């Protein structure tokens, strides 16, 4: 029973941190547009958000992999 309560408390703390920071963490990615595009899905406190990047294997143009954390545009408290 203690493990369940501690897990729920840890989940609530992580969710609160994501809610007020406005960040999301990577949950999935796939290549699209004949390998030239990379679609990344991020789990934020308000749901799953998607971001698309230009993709190359070398990383000279675009990105090679999706970033682990990404700032989501909408936040609850932006300091105003």
């Amino acid at each position: 029973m203690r493990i369940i309560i501690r897990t729920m408390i840890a989940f609530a703390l992580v969710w609160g941190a994501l809610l007020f920071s406005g960040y999301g963490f990577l949950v999935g990615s796939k290549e699209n547009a004949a390998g030239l595009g990379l679609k990344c899905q991020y789990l934020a406190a308000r749901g799953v958000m998607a971001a698309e990047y230009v993709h190359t294997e070398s990383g000279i143009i675009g990105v090679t992999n999706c970033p682990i954390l990404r700032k989501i545009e909408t936040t609850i408290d932006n300091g105003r």
Side-chain angles (χ1 to χ4, degrees):
M1 190 66 173
R2 284 185 178 177
I3 294 174
I4 294 172
I5 292 172
R6 287 181 182 173
T7 303
M8 291 175 63
I9 290 171
F11 178 75
L13 289 173
V14 169
W15 184 80
L18 289 175
L19 181 67
F20 289 109
S21 69
Y23 279 88
F25 62 90
L26 182 67
V27 292
S29 66
K30 65 179 180 178
E31 291 184 13
N32 57 11
L36 295 177
L38 187 63
K39 184 173 183 178
C40 307
Q41 293 180 328
Y42 294 92
L43 179 64
R46 293 186 156 214
V48 177
M49 307 291 178
E52 293 188 14
Y53 299 99
V54 175
H55 170 69
T56 58
E57 292 294 327
S58 64
I60 294 173
I61 299 173
V63 297
T64 57
N65 294 321
C66 294
I68 302 285
L69 290 174
R70 181 176 189 273
K71 181 78 171 176
I72 305 300
E73 287 81 20
T74 57
T75 60
I76 296 296
D77 181 21
N78 59 4
R80 291 184 189 171

